[in-house]
Amino acid sequence: MPLGIDRTEFFAGKCKELERQLRNRDERIAGLETDNAMLYLKLAQLRSQLQASRTEINAAEDASDRYAAFYASIFHQASQLQKQIQIMKSELSNIRGLALEFPRQVSRTLQRASTVAQHHKSMVQSQSFNITALADQVAQLQLALSDMTDRHGREKKRRQDLHNALMELRGNIRVHCRLRPLMEFDCGTEDLATLGRQGSKSEVVVHPVDDENLCVRTHKQNKVFEFERVYNPGEKQEAVFDEVQPMLTSLLDGYNICIMAYGQTGSGKTHTMLGSHRNDDYNPSKEPHPDEGVIPRASRELFRLIEEKAPGTHAVEVSVVEVYNNDIRDLLSKDPNAKHDVVASGDGGVNFPTVMCKPVDTVYEVMSLVQHGLRTRRETATMVHEHSSRSHLVVTLTVISKAPSFFSLPQSTSTEVLNTEGAAVKKTRSTLTHAQSWSGEQIQAAVPPTPPAPAPTVRTKLQLVDLAGSECVGMSGVKGVALREASYINKSLSALADVLGALSEHRGHVPYRNSRLTHFLQDSIGGDAKLLVLLCVSPAQRYITESLQCLGFGQRARQVQRGPTKRRLPSSAEKVDSPKAASSVFGHHQHPLLHDNCHCSVNSFSPFKIFFQSLF
């Protein structure tokens, strides 16, 4: 630039020019940015369209693959169908050949069948007479079999009746055996899955043969035991009581009855006598229960029999006693731990004057008292049984019956005088004549009217005994007090076996006093009662030693012959041999005919004694 030129205007113009160019450039940049944004937007749209197109192409390819696979399967199936059609065509051709041949085969078969039918027809016609004869024979055999079956049943029943009658005459002890089913505790320490398995401790080795025989399978041999009745594991409580029920009729006829359950611990004695142990109350209900044992069923039957008698002629008392550690304890008294003694009675029996007897009128009252006693009865859990009884339970139902009116002699209707030989002669007023040594007026004056004597009574007892179970100490695992209890239990049961042994061998001395149990049951065991022993047996191999011991006890008990069972006499007739008792029978006044000066005693009244003997 030449010197002297004004640079201000030059730079100002230059700046404006540059600013204008800068503005143009900024505008162009803004436009390019706008175009660039539009291009990016279009690019995003194109990319999304491209992605959608790819998705469609993939879907189309998948569909094309499926269609191709479908077409391939259709083609394969079509080829298979074509092959099957070819096979069916060949089979159809064969069937057509067989169809053409079938009529000819049928014709030949019918010809052969006709020939065979003609042959069999001729045979049937020739043998029809024999068939008729055989049919008649079969009918006759069926009638004979039916008749023999009926006769067998009657003879079996007759044999049982005769056997029972023979046992009555001999005084044998009736022995029944009940085989319980397997229980879970029979496994012991083994797995529950081995219950009843061969070779295990719970293997069944005791089997009922029939209703009278039982077989025990041992390692050496099989032993068979015979009893009056054998109950299999499936029989219910009702079946057991059906065999016991007939004995209860004898109770009201003047006989004492004793039913005792014997067996090892856990063999089902308490279940048999009382009922299911799952119910702690032993079902003391007014209505019958399927699980009821012998005690509630016997009580129910007793009251049913009493209802059939005249009202007010029978009363029932109950006592509940346990023999624990050789001590007699009254479970109904306020102090059940008090000890009681056995007292000998005048007739050779035993009495328990300190034992409480409570009057009862219903089964519910009986079972309520029994339940009250069971609350204080000793029980201990052992390795063999969870509810092992540690004492012998004796439930006694005493029936007090008023004797019929003929036990009291009529007032002044008859008397007995002695002839010259000293024999008693019975004479009525209407038959006494003046020719005799005593006139009717003299007898009337000699025998004044007497007030009626109190009615004699008969006391009969139904003893229901749930014995404690014999146990092996090593198996039960008891210690301390329970060990002492087990020792007393085994000693008392051993004493019971000794008593039965002495009775079966007819020894002069029977050791009743070796144990309180045998002393307590002396009347029942010794022949003053009809005695039924219920053996309770476990079927498992684990208890085979105890089962054999129990069955052996039953066999020994069957061998006891005690003589005919004694019938209970009325209280007045039992002591009729004494003048004092005779006075009570005839009245409160001493008759001149019974005076010593008449040389007459009650012992000489043989017709009177024969009269009572014929009644009982």
Side-chain angles (χ1 to χ4, degrees), residues 146-198:
S146 177
D147 182 61
M148 291 296 293
T149 302
D150 295 339
R151 289 178 59 188
H152 176 264
R154 292 194 298 269
E155 290 298 325
K156 184 177 180 180
K157 181 65 170 59
R158 181 169 173 268
R159 187 190 69 81
Q160 291 177 349
D161 294 340
L162 290 176
H163 177 72
N164 291 334
L166 179 62
M167 291 186 62
E168 289 284 347
L169 294 176
R170 290 181 176 177
N172 289 36
I173 298 173
R174 301 179 186 179
V175 181
H176 294 186
C177 180
R178 187 180 194 185
L179 182 63
R180 71 161 174 82
L182 282 178
M183 310 294 287
E184 293 183 359
F185 60 81
D186 289 334
C187 292
T189 58
E190 294 180 344
D191 187 10
L192 187 60
T194 63
L195 182 65
R197 186 178 299 174
Q198 187 174 2

Side-chain angles (χ1 to χ4, degrees), residues 375-402:
R375 291 195 185 101
T376 55
R377 187 188 183 187
R378 270 68 173 182
E379 284 189 357
T380 302
T382 67
M383 295 173 61
V384 177
H385 190 218
E386 183 180 0
H387 301 279
S388 177
S389 301
R390 314 309 293 174
S391 64
H392 309 291
L393 178 69
V394 182
V395 178
T396 304
L397 295 173
T398 303
V399 181
I400 306 170
S401 307
K402 291 183 180 179

